Amino acid sequence: MAQFGPEDPSLWLTRKLGYWEAQIFGNMDHTSHCDIVMNVCLKADHIDPDWLAEAHRALCYNQPNFRTHVERGEDGGIYFIPATDFSDIFEFVDESGATDGVTGYAGCWEFAEKLVNRGWVFGTGKPFIKTYLIKRPDCYILLNKYHHGVGDGTTGNRIVNELLRQYDLLQSGKELDLSPVTPLISAEDMSKCVQNDKLVEDWIENRVERAKTQEILLPLNKEEVAASQAGKPWINRTLHSLGTAEGMFQLKALCKKLGVTVGSHSFAVLFHAVAAVHVRRKGGEFPEGGIPTIYSDVVGNLRSRVEPNPGECFMLCIAELEIKEKIERDTKLLNTTRNISQQLKKCLGENRLALFAQYKEGLETGKHSKVFNSYPGGSYSEFLPSNMVTYSYPTKFSWGEVTSAHLLGAYWCPFFSNQVVLYQSVNGVMNYVVTCCDGESHVKDAGEVLELFVKVMENSDRITEETTVMDLLGF
């Protein structure tokens, strides 16, 4: 390919950023750290780095999101502009002689964490995406790093799908598929066609009330945050765990029996896991005053129902669906699962995703803006299991297969929360991570939450209709 994009200028992303996109990129006075990294393990005898580099160029050729840069205009706004420097978007690293003894996806975990905390520098003309192919003694690792301003959490799956699809074309003796797609509008513009003023008003009232009254189970340690920052951007840690095929089989069987999705059940498991860690912090006794209501915001892709064609990716498609639950000493885990399932169905039935723009505008400029904007950001913790769809894309080819895929995010905390649990499924095995602020107490809290979350998700056969938060203490 002689160039990284089509000649038709209408197929390049050249527009002013939407409100939330601009928030993600920040004030552009420093390096931007809203990053996502996909850590994908591939079992293969040989992967040709030159061919994969060609596949990556095809990805950028077709997707306007991945050949864009940003700059501030004369009017003070931030604009997407065509990237001009594609010299550093793919890198092959040969670690085939490594002797550290670490296998699989964990072999590059430390490097992946460094990548997700490294950030992007403005003014370089480089696109906000880079792929590393790392040859390890037992496997290959794909690390896809991209800025949250050009893709959300579901985008990583699409990138992997497209890279492997294009590479497989080359392996099969075929030509690359060069089919550039039209840039899509921002999430805010997409939502302007939806009107439901009463729902937006109620939603804002609920969020303001939450800001006034919410109590935090596992709050941030401000001293640790300050120490880990030490004049640098926020540093995050991402803890990881790998499930089993048997655990996934049991999980799906339980959810089918209950008539709920894995996502709904994961919320319930997470809420109870957080509550259990909170009880441990109270000496193992259920607090006399009870456990404060737990809230979670589903971060949702506005186009999450489309087929996994990378061309359907948005810039940033975020909305918030609020889930809340009160957990008492005798609250049954599976009852929580059912309650959350109903809450999610109600959120989707009310089409809250498409109301994102009105909701954000109402909070920040409406009658409650003074109260809401005075709420101290970064001083609270909320817990979000991933709402991402497990996209169905090929994982097995004649030349190799995907064995795991873990998602790391640097932007999640502490801007949105302190601990964030994410999971994906690859070939019937769950891949779990939790992202948290750096610091001893933060990592300890997040580690306990992840450990308990994984144990419950992986051992559904041990869950009964009578299981409560107190039962999880010794799970």
Side-chain angles (χ1 to χ4, degrees):
M1 265 177 291
Q3 53 186 351
F4 281 83
E7 295 181 1
D8 184 351
S10 69
L11 297 177
W12 288 74
L13 185 60
T14 53
R15 63 166 171 81
K16 191 173 183 178
L17 274 67
Y19 171 80
W20 192 247
E21 293 168 339
Q23 296 301 304
I24 290 296
F25 275 101
N27 59 21
M28 296 182 62
D29 292 333
H30 52 75
T31 303
S32 178
H33 283 262
C34 276
D35 305 318
I36 300 175
V37 170
M38 285 286 291
N39 180 343
V40 179
C41 185
L42 294 166
K43 293 291 290 185
D45 292 332
H46 176 69
I47 294 179
D48 190 316
D50 293 331
W51 281 5
L52 193 65
E54 286 290 312
H56 195 267
R57 283 193 284 271
L59 168 72
C60 294
Y61 186 95
N62 290 337
Q63 305 304 325
N65 296 18
F66 303 146
R67 42 184 163 83
T68 190
H69 197 62
V70 295
E71 69 175 8
R72 189 176 295 281
E74 294 181 357
D75 61 355
I78 305 176
Y79 290 81
F80 286 115
I81 61 172
T84 56
D85 182 358
F86 294 87
S87 62
D88 191 34
I89 62 171
F90 179 86
E91 183 175 337
F92 173 64
V93 181
D94 189 348
E95 293 185 355
S96 57
T99 58
D100 54 24
V102 183
T103 60
Y105 73 92
C108 290
W109 195 267
E110 183 177 349
F111 181 43
E113 274 202 319
K114 290 180 179 178
L115 281 182
V116 83
N117 282 302
R118 185 174 294 173
W120 301 88
V121 179
F122 294 118
T124 64
K126 296 180 179 180
F128 295 102
I129 183 173
K130 181 170 182 177
T131 292
Y132 295 81
L133 175 66
I134 304 174
K135 184 177 182 181
R136 296 282 296 172
D138 64 317
C139 65
Y140 285 85
I141 300 292
L142 268 180
L143 294 179
N144 301 116
K145 173 184 169 70
Y146 55 97
H147 193 286
H148 199 287
V150 299
D152 64 9
T154 67
T155 307
N157 289 318
R158 301 166 190 257
I159 292 174
V160 173
N161 178 28
E162 180 70 351
L163 281 175
L164 299 185
R165 184 179 75 87
Q166 297 280 8
Y167 182 80
D168 193 54
L169 288 175
L170 295 176
Q171 280 280 357
S172 303
K174 302 176 183 178
E175 294 184 354
L176 292 168
D177 177 13
L178 302 182
S179 306
V181 298
T182 303
L184 295 173
I185 60 178
S186 70
E188 292 96 316
D189 289 338
M190 182 182 181
S191 68
K192 287 178 180 177
C193 62
V194 180
Q195 297 294 328
N196 191 329
D197 293 340
K198 180 60 169 64
L199 178 59
V200 173
E201 182 179 343
D202 292 343
W203 199 3
I204 292 172
E205 293 282 357
N206 291 338
R207 181 54 62 88
V208 171
E209 183 63 24
R210 169 178 165 180
K212 292 178 178 178
T213 62
Q214 184 176 0
E215 297 181 55
I216 307 305
L217 301 187
L218 302 173
L220 286 171
N221 182 317
K222 295 181 181 179
E223 292 183 0
E224 286 190 356
V225 170
S228 64
Q229 187 180 7
K232 301 176 294 185
W234 298 110
I235 301 299
N236 297 268
R237 291 288 305 278
T238 306
L239 313 180
H240 55 96
S241 181
L242 190 62
T244 64
E246 178 61 24
M248 182 64 168
F249 177 81
Q250 294 173 358
L251 177 63
K252 292 173 68 175
L254 174 63
C255 291
K256 182 177 181 180
K257 177 182 176 181
L258 296 175
V260 301
T261 64
V262 171
S264 295
H265 183 57
S266 72
F267 271 102
V269 173
L270 183 59
F271 280 15
H272 280 253
V274 171
V277 173
H278 174 69
V279 172
R280 287 177 185 169
R281 297 290 182 268
K282 300 296 183 181
E285 296 293 330
F286 195 87
E288 291 185 6
I291 295 176
T293 298
I294 301 178
Y295 295 85
S296 184
D297 300 314
V298 184
V299 180
N301 183 344
L302 285 177
R303 300 181 67 90
S304 63
R305 295 176 179 271
V306 303
E307 293 300 313
N309 178 345
E312 298 291 349
C313 283
F314 243 63
M315 292 291 90
L316 177 70
C317 319
I318 276 189
E320 294 178 350
L321 306 181
E322 181 180 282
I323 306 300
K324 62 181 180 181
E325 195 71 20
K326 181 70 173 178
I327 298 177
E328 307 288 355
R329 179 192 296 271
D330 58 351
T331 299
K332 308 298 190 295
L333 170 61
L334 296 186
N335 283 345
T336 302
T337 293
R338 296 182 183 99
N339 291 342
I340 289 177
S341 178
Q342 292 302 312
Q343 290 184 58
L344 285 171
K345 288 178 181 178
K346 185 173 185 290
C347 288
L348 294 174
E350 292 173 342
N351 199 24
R352 293 191 185 183
L353 282 174
L355 296 172
F356 166 71
Q358 299 174 63
Y359 171 65
K360 289 291 293 183
E361 182 179 359
L363 277 178
E364 302 200 1
T365 64
K367 64 180 181 180
H368 293 299
S369 60
K370 184 176 181 179
V371 173
F372 184 80
N373 293 331
S374 66
Y375 189 56
S379 66
Y380 56 92
S381 302
E382 296 168 356
F383 299 84
L384 301 82
S386 171
N387 188 43
M388 75 177 60
V389 175
T390 304
Y391 293 113
S392 178
Y393 62 89
T395 57
K396 297 183 180 181
F397 303 88
S398 61
W399 45 268
E401 67 175 305
V402 178
T403 61
S404 67
H406 288 76
L407 182 69
L408 295 81
Y411 72 96
W412 290 100
C413 52
F415 304 108
F416 292 111
S417 61
N418 184 26
Q419 294 91 5
V420 180
V421 173
L422 304 164
Y423 58 83
Q424 295 175 285
S425 174
V426 176
N427 298 332
V429 173
M430 296 291 270
N431 304 176
Y432 305 93
V433 302
V434 59
T435 298
C436 62
C437 295
D438 199 12
E440 184 178 353
S441 67
H442 302 151
V443 173
K444 178 177 174 57
D445 287 345
E448 288 192 34
V449 170
L450 177 63
E451 180 183 24
L452 191 49
F453 179 77
V454 172
K455 281 184 178 179
V456 179
M457 293 284 279
E458 286 288 309
N459 293 277
S460 301
D461 58 329
R462 293 172 54 186
I463 301 298
T464 72
E465 289 287 353
E466 301 303 314
T467 300
T468 69
V469 65
M470 299 304 291
D471 295 317
L472 297 190
L473 293 178
F475 202 81

